[in-house]
Amino acid sequence: MPLPPRWLRRLLLAPFVVLLAFLVVTTLPVWALLAAAASPLVPGRLRPLRLLWIGCVYLVWDAAALLSLFVLWVVSGFGWRTRSPAFQRAHYVLAGWFLRVLFWQARWTLRLRIDVVGTDPDTALPGRPELVLCRHAGPGDSFILIHGLVNWFNREPRIVLKDSLQWDPAIDVLLNRLPNRFIAPTAERGEETVRQVGHLASGLDDNDAFVIFPEGGNFTPKRRLRAIARLRSLGLERMALRAERMRHVLAPQPGGMLAALDAAPDAGVIFVAHTGLDRMLTVADVWRELPMDKRIVMRFWSVPPEDVPTGRQERIDWLFDWWARIDAWIAANR
């Protein structure tokens, strides 16, 4: 379904979410009784109640974020100063607070544990910007990564992400006020997209983190095969063979990384792998996995700017080398 224009999302979709949250909260006892009655009929401990609670928390979370963002919009002079440094910082602080609330609930309801191993962005290159290249295996990984960058490492992320995420009104409003880029699927590998990525990576300061997912989408076996076939169709047989040897990741698309490295030559590079949410792609997956009792592991590798290759083909080979390393790590830790 095509994404509605921004004005329509602001006038209809955002108020609808706030109204829906109000209706769900005021009728929550009825839904809770129905979920409790259904719980003995399905496998898993209180699965319908847990799923109901997760949905309600996220809906209220979205609505509360929208109301807070509306207040910031009014205080900024009805949007006049939202791009000023003070209001940009206020939006990052607000994002950090809401992400902390979301993950506090996830840990309590789903019994999730998140462990970080390896070199983190605080100790790797203090006082320097970072380019963060992360594998993609579901919407949960994006939330966890940004939560970590904002709340654990005190970074201000700039993110390249799919435009379909703008269906979520809070994400839509918040991330469009900050320096981020939503990329349409039809433009994923186009020159215009590469130009936008390079522009976004320009002018990073010492607490910025530029975040990109080089695979261009969540990992699935079918997408893996399509990525390999695309490389072959472009005559890149050597890369296709390398991609075939990687079983848990998609072949990375180097265009965005190359543009970011050119735009931010003094930045360090952080590669991020994670495992634990690999099978959590849809609502049906969440239903199947409840209760989760999962340990999510995030692995950081740091590369200082002086160790980043300089030639274009060298950088592409370097990216594939790192993706093979990430694939091996996932195989050993999932």
Side-chain angles (χ1 to χ4, degrees):
M1 184 183 298
L3 191 71
R6 183 178 297 188
W7 66 268
L8 190 60
R9 303 197 304 270
R10 297 294 186 273
L11 290 178
L12 295 182
L13 194 56
F16 172 76
V17 167
V18 175
L19 177 61
L20 182 61
F22 174 78
L23 292 175
V24 168
V25 169
T26 54
T27 58
L28 186 58
V30 176
W31 297 111
L33 286 172
L34 292 173
S39 291
L41 305 177
V42 297
R45 183 170 174 268
L46 302 177
R47 186 175 292 183
L49 275 172
R50 286 173 179 266
L51 195 59
L52 173 67
W53 182 253
I54 295 167
C56 289
V57 165
Y58 192 83
L59 188 60
V60 172
W61 178 86
D62 226 56
L66 284 168
L67 292 173
S68 301
L69 289 165
F70 178 74
V71 170
L72 276 178
W73 180 75
V74 172
V75 174
S76 69
F78 300 97
W80 179 50
R81 290 181 295 160
T82 54
R83 300 293 178 179
S84 68
F87 278 94
Q88 291 280 284
R89 184 57 194 162
H91 282 79
Y92 278 117
V93 170
L94 182 69
W97 189 86
F98 273 99
L99 285 169
R100 280 196 299 272
V101 170
L102 184 65
F103 279 93
W104 166 63
Q105 276 296 313
R107 285 192 297 268
W108 179 71
T109 308
L110 305 177
R111 298 203 293 268
L112 293 178
R113 191 169 94 245
I114 305 171
D115 294 334
V116 176
V117 295
T119 306
D120 65 57
D122 268 356
T123 59
L125 297 172
R128 281 183 175 174
E130 301 281 1
L131 305 182
V132 181
L133 281 68
C134 184
R135 74 166 297 214
H136 212 341
D141 65 349
S142 306
F143 276 105
I144 293 171
L145 176 60
I146 303 307
H147 168 57
L149 290 173
V150 173
N151 290 317
W152 302 339
F153 308 132
N154 198 31
R155 294 278 174 164
E156 295 183 349
R158 302 184 185 186
I159 317 165
V160 179
L161 62 173
K162 282 190 172 182
D163 70 339
S164 58
L165 289 171
Q166 293 173 105
W167 278 103
D168 184 308
I171 292 175
D172 182 17
V173 175
L174 175 63
L175 296 191
N176 273 304
R177 290 187 190 175
L178 294 170
N180 303 291
R181 287 294 183 276
F182 289 96
I183 304 299
T186 54
E188 281 179 354
R189 293 178 291 274
E191 293 183 5
E192 175 60 20
T193 295
V194 172
R195 187 194 65 78
Q196 289 183 30
V197 169
H199 183 267
L200 182 63
S202 302
L204 300 177
D205 60 29
D206 58 359
N207 70 336
D208 283 335
F210 178 87
V211 180
I212 190 168
F213 300 88
E215 292 161 299
N218 299 327
F219 173 87
T220 66
K222 288 183 178 180
R223 283 181 176 170
R224 173 179 169 272
L225 295 176
R226 285 202 299 267
I228 294 169
R230 182 179 64 84
L231 290 172
R232 285 210 162 91
S233 70
L234 296 173
L236 303 173
E237 180 64 23
R238 187 171 67 89
M239 289 185 184
L241 291 173
R242 297 193 67 181
E244 283 182 331
R245 292 194 289 269
M246 297 186 289
R247 312 298 299 180
H248 309 289
V249 294
L250 302 180
Q253 302 172 25
M257 181 205 70
L258 295 172
L261 289 174
D262 288 341
D266 297 327
V269 179
I270 296 284
F271 290 94
V272 183
H274 55 83
T275 186
L277 292 179
D278 306 65
R279 297 189 298 171
M280 305 292 293
L281 300 176
T282 66
V283 174
D285 295 333
V286 175
W287 173 264
R288 184 192 63 240
E289 294 289 321
L290 284 173
M292 291 183 186
D293 295 312
K294 288 188 179 296
R295 174 177 178 255
I296 299 168
V297 182
M298 299 193 74
R299 178 68 161 94
F300 288 77
W301 292 273
S302 175
V303 181
E306 59 268 21
D307 290 344
V308 176
T310 55
R312 176 184 174 86
Q313 189 57 50
E314 288 177 305
R315 286 178 170 179
I316 294 173
D317 292 337
W318 178 70
L319 176 62
F320 270 77
D321 289 342
W322 270 105
W323 236 245
R325 184 173 180 176
I326 289 172
D327 180 70
W329 181 89
I330 294 166
N333 287 275
R334 65 182 308 185

